[in-house]
């Protein structure tokens, strides 16, 4: 009986590893993130029109990638100031494909950190003894089409998601002795996320009702 149970466990682990491997392969081959210079949400907002003065080559490549100027001659910023500050170093790169590669790697870091923090918040510390839950979690994460599309489009929301998850953890554990400091940090993170793109502002009425000034 013990040998049979061990065989079942070993088979389940092999199946789990195969499922995770398939999810990763499917993700990287089907999400379109490996394509070089391309259009998308990120391409329509980056680089800003201010780049025209010192890196017109990069700007022209992105204009071609999105199929038009998209109003870049207007001189207006497309997103909040944090987005442009975060992507400012990329404006010195002269190749659109390289910019996309660097930005995709950054988003992979943001999303991986978000996935790990979210898992810890829900299930506790990551341990190999929790491999069944880890398998389901990783499989769902990498087969979640909105996530795949967001990464392909290069949306800034992945950076916002990380800020919001960290803010959530600060608020969740604000009952400790450093509670006030954690609440302040949570407010700063939500403020930074809102200055990146306005969507996190939807949480402001909640904090007003809770009197968390």
């Amino acid at each position: 009986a013990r040998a049979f149970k061990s065989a079942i466990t070993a088979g389940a682990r092999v199946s789990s590893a195969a499922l995770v491997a398939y999810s990763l392969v499917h993700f990287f081959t089907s999400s379109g993130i490996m394509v070089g210079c391309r259009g998308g949400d990120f391409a329509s907002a980056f680089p800003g029109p201010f780049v025209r003065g010192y890196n017109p080559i990069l700007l022209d490549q992105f204009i071609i990638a999105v199929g038009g100027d998209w109003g870049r001659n207007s001189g207006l910023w497309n997103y909040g100031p944090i987005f442009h500050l975060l992507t400012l170093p990329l404006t010195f790169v002269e190749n659109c494909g390289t910019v996309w590669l660097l930005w995709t790697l950054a988003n992979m870091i943001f999303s991986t950190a978000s996935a790990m923090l979210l898992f810890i918040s829900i299930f506790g510390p990551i341990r190999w003894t929790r491999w069944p839950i880890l398998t389901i979690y990783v499989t769902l994460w990498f087969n979640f089409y909105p996530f795949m599309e967001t990464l392909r489009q290069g949306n800034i929301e992945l950076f916002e998601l990380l800020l919001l998850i960290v803010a959530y953890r600060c608020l969740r554990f604000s009952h400790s002795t450093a509670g006030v400091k954690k609440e302040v940090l949570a407010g700063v993170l939500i403020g930074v996320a809102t200055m990146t793109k306005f969507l996190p502002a939807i949480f402001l009425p909640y904090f007003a009702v809770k009197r968390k000034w």
Side-chain angles (χ1 to χ4, degrees), residues 46-49 51-52 55-64 72:
F46 172 91
V51 179
R52 192 180 299 275
N55 199 348
I57 295 176
L58 180 64
L59 182 63
D60 291 341
Q61 291 179 45
F62 271 90
I63 289 174
I64 294 173
R72 284 193 170 95

Side-chain angles (χ1 to χ4, degrees), residues 47 50-60 90-95:
F50 60 91
V51 179
R52 192 180 299 275
Y54 65 91
N55 199 348
I57 295 176
L58 180 64
L59 182 63
D60 291 341
L90 298 177
T91 63
F92 295 96
V93 180
E94 291 191 352
N95 183 273

Side-chain angles (χ1 to χ4, degrees), residues 117-174:
L117 287 174
L118 188 60
F119 183 92
I120 294 171
S121 299
I122 298 174
F123 302 107
I126 298 175
R127 296 170 182 163
W128 290 117
T129 54
R130 292 174 172 165
W131 60 267
I133 298 176
L134 278 168
T135 298
I136 296 173
Y137 186 83
V138 172
T139 300
L140 291 175
W141 187 273
F142 282 100
N143 286 278
F144 187 51
Y145 180 77
F147 169 59
M148 296 171 63
E149 183 65 13
T150 299
L151 193 60
R152 187 188 71 81
Q153 293 273 345
N155 292 57
I156 192 63
E157 279 81 357
L158 292 175
F159 175 67
E160 288 184 301
L161 177 63
L162 176 59
L163 295 179
L164 293 177
I165 290 177
V166 176
Y168 162 74
R169 287 185 58 80
C170 288
L171 291 173
R172 182 179 179 183
F173 299 105
S174 62

Side-chain angles (χ1 to χ4, degrees), residues 170-171 173-185:
C170 288
L171 291 173
F173 299 105
S174 62
H175 57 273
S176 63
T177 54
V180 175
K181 292 183 179 180
K182 289 184 177 180
E183 286 192 351
V184 171
L185 177 59

